DNA sequence: TATGAATGAGAATTCATTCAT
DNA sequence: TATGAATGAATTCTCATTCAT
């Protein structure tokens, strides 16, 4: 059946791309992993990229769907919090379960090689340690609640980098000073109304 | 002088990689931009990647340094808050000023082509809209403070993705349920002790 | 019936080859145009070329037959001239009517692409203009009859190229000097005995 | 030197294309014949076609130049005839001397294989025999001068095919009946004014 | 040090042909 | 006979890297 063969190739591509990264993987690798001949790939896809796009698109759609599920059928505050928790849990689950797919979508599969991988992993680890230390200082100074410093550190790193790379790259980016103020308020005060 | 010639190549590479992305840029592009012959590259670097690593490394170091500057010479709570604000502002400034360098470090220059670029940009934009709507609902329900929904949305997206891709990919990842609880607490309550 | 199916494929091939040229046309194009499956082609022909040969052969045979019709049942000089005129008219008619078939037979469908097509068309057009000018000069000098210069130009071009590519490539080619003399005599004096 | 290497490739290509035909020849064949590595081709040309175009263009230009030389500095009728003879001789010489180049330009190198080659050669040979017989009949009938029947046959074939494929494919083709009349007049009466 | 011509491994893609159904 | 999915050989073109000058 047409769809089965297609799915077979998609599955093979997911594995091969996940393992070797997009550029290091060849169409030949994919078809070999799928147990078909090279030409067969081109019966189902136009280009090497196409299957990669499909994988990325489906993962990103999944993430977006989870985000959109939060406010659906919310009536009471209790509903809302429950849904937030559900969505957050679901998101982490999806990233964990489809880890290599997530790496594809987040271009971590685009890395050049193990060395760059390591460099970035070390960077995040080190930066997280640094930020966790900052947070510990805040806790010791009696300024902060006793949160989990490492989790909080990763959260802060993500906040900054996504705002910097995403929001500030939009068409009409907000005033950076306003952004800094809001970010700090969000980090320090959180969302909840007192 | 050896170092000047080297720096000249690094500068050229920064521009070329920033414009075309890592894979589309050729060593020839770099040397042409630097105004030297192709062979010259290999007198100063071993491989094409090397200069890319150098660029990424220096940007990441810069970011790490800013993070580390927070707790240096902090004595009073006022100091601490001031340093946090300074660091946050500095980080955004660096990302804005060295935007294409940041894109290199964050592998956004690894895209295949304009289509994938667009796909990812659209994904973030859409997801941010969705999350901003969630936040607006929370505000309307009287649960949340009147934050800037879009900034907060990007912050939340970053929190989740960095925790999911970074923290949960570490050697001994914490229990995901604990992570979800902490993340929600950080998002809802913030850091500040009441 | 076997022959009908075969004819159906030949007709489809004529159209497809005529439109795209031999190399750009695929067996798939032909079978699709014929409304049958790809494998069916190989039930009636051994190879892609075979049907092309068949088309070329039949066109060339047609041309040869017209040529051979001239002296059949000729009794008087009047008959002869009449038959010559008939054959010439018939030849042009066939070339016009089966233009794309003629292009196949004459390998004009073998072009690489539009650029080469254009290059050759321009060449003939330019060369014809040049030769037509030569002829006009001859007319103005009072040497030539007032023929149609463009028709005569194409005729001369054809004479030379066919003699050069055909006759002189035969096994025992005549002495080129003799050929030149004869060609000029044919062009200047024509055939008719005075 | 840049130009020498380039010329070396052109020469190699002329030989290889001449021998195997355009499609059967690979870039690898050309570079091997030139004694350089495959990549070297692409330092001097953009594509496989480019060198082929160059060969064809230069041959066609050569032919056009010869045609254009006829009326240059012609003053007397004697000049004119002399130049016609010179040009005709020169044309044949060029076709003979650069026979494989001529075949390239005339797409004879585009043939599929030896079989098609043979088919076309046989066609011309047969058609020439047929037309030569026609001419012999005309001579025997006392209508025609005693020309060389075979040369005249090739000339007639060329006249018709070039007019049919070239002139009649132009933008505003003349009326075919007019063309037939003129062709016959040219063939029978020639150009010379009596 | 600097040059830039030369190298050749490597990968994507096409398509005539086959063959199990 | 007919189908059309599958095959895999073959070819073009790219570009990181080398090396003679």
């Amino acid at each position: 059946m047409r769809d089965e063969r297609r799915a077979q190739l998609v599955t093979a591509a997911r594995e091969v791309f996940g393992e070797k990264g997009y550029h290091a993987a060849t169409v030949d690798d994919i078809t070999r992993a799928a147990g078909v001949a090279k030409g067969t790939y081109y019966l189902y896809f136009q280009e090497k990229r196409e299957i990669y796009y499909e994988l990325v698109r489906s993962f990103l759609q999944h993430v977006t769907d989870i985000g959109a599920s939060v406010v659906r059928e919310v009536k009471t505050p209790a509903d809302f919090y429950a849904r937030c928790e559900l969505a957050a849990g679901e998101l982490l689950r999806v990233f964990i379960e489809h880890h290599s797919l997530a790496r594809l979508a987040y271009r971590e599969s685009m890395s050049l090689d193990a060395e760059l991988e390591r460099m970035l992993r070390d960077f995040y680890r080190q930066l997280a340690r640094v930020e966790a230390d900052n947070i510990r200082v805040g806790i010791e100074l009696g300024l902060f609640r006793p949160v989990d410093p490492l989790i909080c550190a990763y959260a802060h790193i993500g906040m900054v980098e996504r705002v910097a790379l995403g929001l500030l790259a939009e068409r009409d980016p907000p005033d950076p000073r306003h952004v800094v103020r809001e970010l700090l308020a969000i980090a320090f005060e959180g969302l909840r109304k007192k």
Side-chain angles (χ1 to χ4, degrees), chain A:
Chain A
M1 208 113 317
R2 191 143 220 297
D3 288 354
E4 283 166 25
R5 186 45 58 99
R6 216 190 117 94
Q8 185 183 0
L9 283 162
V10 171
T11 302
R14 181 162 48 221
E15 272 157 27
V16 172
F17 284 149
E19 231 170 274
K20 315 182 94 173
Y22 178 79
H23 281 102
T26 67
V27 172
D28 216 23
D29 290 332
I30 295 172
T31 51
R32 219 176 311 117
V36 299
K38 185 154 41 168
T40 302
Y41 180 89
Y42 292 92
L43 294 177
Y44 297 89
F45 302 93
Q46 310 249 3
E47 303 182 288
K48 185 187 170 190
R49 302 180 221 185
E50 193 172 333
I51 210 168
Y52 176 71
Y53 286 164
E54 181 153 328
L55 290 170
V56 172
R57 213 186 319 260
S58 84
F59 181 80
L60 297 182
Q61 190 55 54
H62 202 155
V63 168
T64 306
D65 289 347
I66 295 172
S69 73
V70 171
V71 292
R72 221 179 301 131
E73 300 175 38
V74 158
K75 276 156 202 154
T76 67
D79 275 0
F80 189 74
Y81 281 123
R83 283 208 169 270
C84 285
E85 191 160 356
L86 214 68
E90 187 67 4
L91 278 172
L92 289 196
R93 202 187 56 72
V94 167
F95 271 85
I96 291 169
E97 196 166 321
H98 302 94
H99 187 245
S100 71
L101 213 46
R103 287 168 48 77
L104 287 191
Y106 281 90
R107 272 179 291 213
E108 304 208 350
S109 74
M110 291 297 188
S111 283
L112 295 178
D113 56 8
E115 186 173 345
L116 185 58
E117 292 282 271
R118 203 175 332 108
M119 197 159 111
L120 280 160
R121 220 174 22 243
D122 289 352
F123 160 69
Y124 276 124
R125 208 169 296 167
Q126 196 198 340
L127 186 58
R129 302 283 172 278
V130 164
E131 177 63 0
D133 281 345
N134 289 339
I135 292 164
R136 277 190 204 94
V137 168
I139 296 172
E140 280 160 19
L141 283 172
L143 301 172
F144 296 164
R145 297 185 301 108
V147 295
D148 181 317
L150 199 58
I151 295 175
C152 194
Y154 274 102
H156 286 169
I157 292 168
M159 281 170 57
V160 173
E161 75 186 24
R162 189 49 40 222
V163 164
L165 288 170
L167 177 59
L168 295 180
E170 282 214 9
R171 238 182 298 270
D172 293 309
D175 175 12
R177 282 165 309 179
H178 169 59
V179 172
V180 168
R181 265 196 312 276
E182 281 289 305
L183 269 188
L184 288 171
I186 288 161
F188 290 149
E189 318 298 343
L191 271 175
R192 180 117 56 196
K193 200 171 191 172
K194 310 291 147 48

